[in-house]
Amino acid sequence: MNERTEYWWVHHESRIQPAEVGFVGGIPVHFRFLGTAGEVRAESAELIERLPTPPAPVFRAPPAAAAAPAAKPQKSGSWLWFIGILLLIFVAQCSGPIFDALK
């Protein structure tokens, strides 16, 4: 028989609280109020309404690193970035005198 756990609003001893309900073959067997320890037999409770399932995460965690061998980080463009930033600094600092010289 398949066993599963669902979350329901449960009426037990004149209080209604959310609980984790254990099912075996589609029949509720026990429940546990959320945030408490210990289980209570399901015969002493009434299931009111099933709680919605929690939302699925939008971004899944990447697969384990064992799936892909550890590759060396690529640094092929690092010198290009360095030279480009130096060029931008040079142009920003010297654009006035260079423009005057070209006139």
Side-chain angles (χ1 to χ4, degrees), residues 31-100:
F31 70 93
R32 180 184 64 84
F33 288 122
L34 298 181
T36 62
E39 295 179 345
V40 180
R41 295 194 51 83
E43 294 94 25
S44 61
E46 177 187 355
L47 299 178
I48 305 289
E49 182 180 355
R50 184 175 180 186
L51 292 170
T53 57
V58 176
F59 298 106
R60 304 255 185 247
K72 227 178 178 182
Q74 293 186 359
K75 295 185 176 184
S76 62
S78 62
W79 282 107
L80 185 63
W81 279 99
F82 179 70
I83 293 170
I85 290 176
L86 286 179
L87 182 63
L88 285 174
I89 291 172
F90 175 74
V91 169
Q93 293 294 322
C94 303
S95 63
I98 291 174
F99 182 72
D100 291 341

